[in-house]
Amino acid sequence: MTTLHEYHSEVLAWIDQDPDLETVAELRALLEASQAGDEHAQAEITDRFSTRLSFGTAGLRGAIAAGPNRMNRVVVIQAAAGLARYLLAHAQAGKTPSVVIGFDGRKNSEVFARDTAEIMSGLGVEALLMPRMLPTPILAFSVRELNASAGVMVTASHNPAADNGYKVYLGGNDQGSQIVSPADALIAEQIDFVATQMNVGELARGTYSIIAESVIENYISQTALVAGNTALAPSIQPHFIYTAMHGVGYETFAAVMSRAGFVVPEVVAEQNIPDATFPTVEFPNPEEPGALDLAYGLARRTKAELIVANDPDADRLAVAIPDETAAAGYRRLTGNELGAVLGWRTARELTRTNKSGTLACSIVSSPALSAVAKHYDLDFRWTLTGFKWVSRVENLAYGYEEALGYLVNPGTIRDKDGISAAVALLSLVNELKSNGSTLRDHLEEFSMTFGHFASEQISLRVSDLSEIPRLMTNLRSSQPDFVGGSAVLTFDDLLEGNSDFPPSDVLRFWLEDGSRIMVRPSGTEPKLKIYIDVVSREGDLAHRTSDAAKRLSTLAEGMKELLGL
């Protein structure tokens, strides 16, 4: 077992190679305090040096601080060098691999991006850096547009302000999708080699190129095409509010809106400029309570017909509509509601143009999209959670995941995109308004056409990460016969994988009343997530709505009881 004294030696070795004066000072202070007997400092050193921040299919993500179990310049340089070694090992003979690198407005994002560009260039990879902070979808688009071998986006998406992250994409046959197995493990091996065998301060640094504005312009032009021919005259378009959630979305969003013929929206000024401290929200995630409060207030004052929100790196989309029964006067649509209506839009367009295509969503998303596909005789696929899987579906026409991620134009990009999804949504709203209808009316029509689908998610946030595998083990070892009084017909454990899915830490219950329950650990946050889905197809809208709500409540209480919550 490693002793505290040995950790101190590791701290000194870390300081020796750390180019960041802030984290060097942080570690020196911790080292001095721990040597003086400060138990908190000793615990911090142990936590930071007893393990490494894991690199997987979500790349890297963690709190910004010193040490191998945090996000910092040393960890990022090691990741960049490891990725470079992977790309060089897998490059075609005689061909120099290339990487495009983007960054958002979080603390150290640009520093991490420039370190990545210089280190990868120094190791022999052609490095191209975005000219400024930009949305994640532009990076994903650029991997395909520039025919690059890989892409790196420095972002923690909608994580808390203290975090940053490192997301990796692959080009070639992967078409700019996020990494999946086995590439993640192979890259991780190279990162571990660098971390154990090399001093990052001694790695050569090279020069890099800045990506041309024409690449960004191409993204704007192609994304604007998602609107089709439905943009209306400004006097007819709905008045809507936009918030960038202190992120990097507005510049690109406004450019796309203008190109597509939409009126540029009124913005939540306090959240419109990138700010790494995210001062108006506890969590910069449109799904979190309170995140849209400023947007709700502005919408009430201006009587807006719609609220549109991107998360800080603009790869997710949230939408809220007027609702007199809601305390805020507006109700945010769930990811499943928005995913269903955008899928319906795609299905109708495929049918209208006599084209084929596959609709797809993650296994924790609502079965509503499968009902749309069946109605229009289209192919449908479930995938594992994460857009790295959704984006890889063959002949994909549309894909989504319930965590506000949507892909409406897979011919342009192979990742979720909150900006192109907003274009599709606004195009639909314009079409509805021209016919005297609203998005709320459209949702009600969906319920009467396909059934009223309702979903609920229970997120159990933990401070001790060991609590999550304990809960999953308990469920596996004592499989329930009933949940909320409804019999469990099938219990699927995907840990070993099957013919449809590679191995994944996911449990799925199908119940006798047609409901479905999914349980899985979050891939990016210290949470255990439970997804409950029901559908009601009998009676009028009021009956379907109340019946589904009642069944959701009963099943939610049943799951809480099972988990001892």
Side-chain angles (χ1 to χ4, degrees):
M1 180 177 179
T2 306
T3 67
L4 186 60
H5 174 73
E6 288 172 317
Y7 283 138
H8 285 186
S9 299
E10 293 178 27
V11 171
L12 291 175
W14 189 273
I15 288 173
D16 181 60
Q17 64 177 329
D18 191 347
D20 191 327
L21 295 180
E22 180 179 338
T23 47
V24 165
E26 178 186 329
L27 277 183
R28 288 192 187 280
L30 278 175
L31 187 61
E32 182 179 345
S34 67
Q35 289 172 330
D38 185 320
E39 292 184 359
H40 173 73
Q42 292 172 357
E44 272 292 300
I45 287 176
T46 300
D47 182 54
R48 297 184 189 199
F49 283 84
S50 61
T51 187
R52 285 188 59 81
L53 200 62
S54 176
F55 182 91
T57 53
L60 293 168
R61 194 171 293 186
I64 300 172
N69 198 28
R70 300 289 189 271
M71 279 296 296
N72 51 67
R73 291 184 69 185
V74 175
V75 165
V76 165
I77 292 168
Q78 291 169 342
L83 177 59
R85 288 172 57 87
Y86 169 85
L87 293 176
L88 290 165
H90 290 79
Q92 294 180 8
K95 183 176 180 180
T96 300
S98 58
V99 61
V100 295
I101 304 156
F103 56 96
D104 67 5
R106 284 179 177 266
K107 180 180 178 180
N108 285 354
S109 283
E110 184 172 357
V111 174
F112 293 163
R114 292 187 183 278
D115 277 340
T116 297
E118 291 176 0
I119 292 298
M120 296 191 79
S121 174
L123 288 171
V125 176
E126 182 186 1
L128 303 98
L129 183 69
M130 287 292 172
R132 58 188 176 279
M133 61 180 77
L134 287 163
T136 292
I138 292 182
L139 184 281
F141 168 82
S142 298
V143 175
R144 294 178 77 183
E145 180 77 356
L146 297 173
N147 194 28
S149 308
V152 170
M153 182 67 193
V154 182
T155 178
S157 191
H158 57 282
N159 270 40
D163 291 2
N164 213 328
Y166 202 80
K167 190 180 293 187
V168 178
Y169 298 78
L170 290 178
N173 293 335
D174 292 275
Q175 300 185 70
S177 292
Q178 295 179 47
I179 55 169
V180 295
S181 180
D184 58 337
L186 295 174
I187 295 170
E189 287 178 7
Q190 295 292 349
I191 294 172
D192 288 343
F193 176 86
V194 173
T196 56
Q197 304 297 321
M198 297 181 176
N199 183 315
V200 301
E202 298 173 358
L203 291 175
R205 289 178 178 253
T207 59
Y208 54 84
S209 301
I210 299 297
I211 293 172
E213 288 291 331
S214 60
V215 176
I216 301 166
E217 172 65 22
N218 287 347
Y219 169 84
I220 292 169
S221 297
Q222 293 188 43
T223 303
L225 295 175
V226 171
N229 299 316
T230 61
L232 305 177
S235 60
I236 305 175
Q237 291 188 33
H239 169 57
F240 71 99
I241 302 300
Y242 175 80
T243 176
M245 203 65 64
H246 296 297
V248 297
Y250 180 70
E251 175 192 342
T252 305
F253 179 84
V256 171
M257 290 297 103
S258 177
R259 186 69 54 84
F262 293 104
V263 174
V264 176
E266 190 164 359
V267 301
V268 179
E270 301 94 325
Q271 298 177 335
N272 205 45
I273 297 173
D275 188 333
T277 67
F278 302 101
T280 68
V281 291
E282 185 174 355
F283 291 99
N285 179 354
E287 290 183 294
E288 292 286 343
L292 292 178
D293 284 355
L294 289 175
Y296 290 149
L298 180 59
R300 286 193 301 269
R301 292 192 298 274
T302 61
K303 295 181 170 51
E305 299 168 69
L306 199 69
I307 296 171
V308 172
N310 285 138
D311 69 335
D313 68 329
D315 65 349
R316 288 174 169 84
L317 171 70
V319 171
I321 59 175
D323 187 339
E324 63 279 2
T325 67
Y330 289 81
R331 179 178 72 87
R332 182 183 65 79
L333 302 185
T334 68
N336 283 322
E337 287 177 308
L338 189 51
V341 296
L342 288 176
W344 190 12
R345 176 183 183 268
T346 298
R348 288 190 301 158
E349 182 62 19
L350 289 173
T351 300
R352 185 186 67 81
T353 57
N354 198 29
K355 294 179 180 178
S356 64
T358 300
L359 308 184
C361 64
S362 64
I363 54 175
V364 297
S365 301
S366 169
L369 188 63
S370 64
V372 173
K374 182 178 180 180
H375 182 88
Y376 287 93
D377 197 26
L378 296 169
D379 289 335
F380 174 78
R381 295 289 183 273
W382 294 109
T383 76
L384 289 181
T385 304
F387 250 84
K388 55 186 174 284
W389 301 111
V390 175
S391 66
R392 284 178 162 79
V393 169
E394 187 176 352
N395 198 31
L396 182 66
Y398 168 77
Y400 94 96
E401 61 180 3
E402 50 73 42
L404 307 185
Y406 314 96
L407 176 52
V408 300
N409 54 341
T412 299
I413 186 173
R414 286 285 170 162
D415 195 22
K416 58 183 174 291
D417 182 352
I419 295 175
S420 61
V423 175
L425 187 278
L426 289 165
S427 174
L428 172 62
V429 171
N430 277 0
E431 179 186 350
L432 293 170
K433 187 170 184 179
S434 69
N435 293 322
S437 184
T438 67
L439 188 52
R440 180 174 178 171
D441 297 332
H442 196 58
L443 287 163
E444 293 176 354
E445 184 182 353
F446 186 99
S447 293
M448 296 309 297
T449 303
F450 305 102
H452 183 76
F453 290 82
S455 306
E456 180 169 340
Q457 182 185 137
I458 303 171
S459 291
L460 175 60
R461 183 179 288 272
V462 300
S463 54
D464 181 1
L465 288 177
S466 66
E467 186 72 2
I468 291 177
R470 184 187 70 81
L471 290 169
M472 293 295 287
T473 298
N474 287 348
L475 281 175
R476 286 188 166 97
S477 61
S478 56
Q479 299 176 11
D481 295 320
F482 292 86
V483 178
S486 185
V488 177
L489 292 183
T490 61
F491 182 95
D492 301 324
D493 186 349
L494 304 184
L495 192 60
E496 301 300 325
N498 57 33
S499 58
D500 295 322
F501 306 110
S504 185
D505 191 7
V506 176
L507 299 173
R508 178 172 60 184
F509 315 164
W510 291 102
L511 309 182
E512 64 177 354
D513 66 355
S515 303
R516 187 198 65 184
I517 298 172
M518 311 286 297
V519 185
R520 74 172 183 93
S522 170
T524 58
E525 298 175 275
K527 292 180 178 179
L528 182 70
K529 294 190 172 184
I530 300 100
Y531 306 81
I532 305 172
D533 290 279
V534 302
V535 60
S536 181
R537 291 190 170 96
E538 301 297 329
D540 60 14
L541 180 64
H543 180 271
R544 294 183 183 199
T545 303
S546 62
D547 177 54
K550 185 182 302 181
R551 288 160 60 197
L552 268 185
S553 178
T554 300
L555 291 176
E557 289 303 314
M559 283 305 298
K560 289 177 182 177
E561 183 178 343
L562 273 178
L563 293 168
L565 302 182

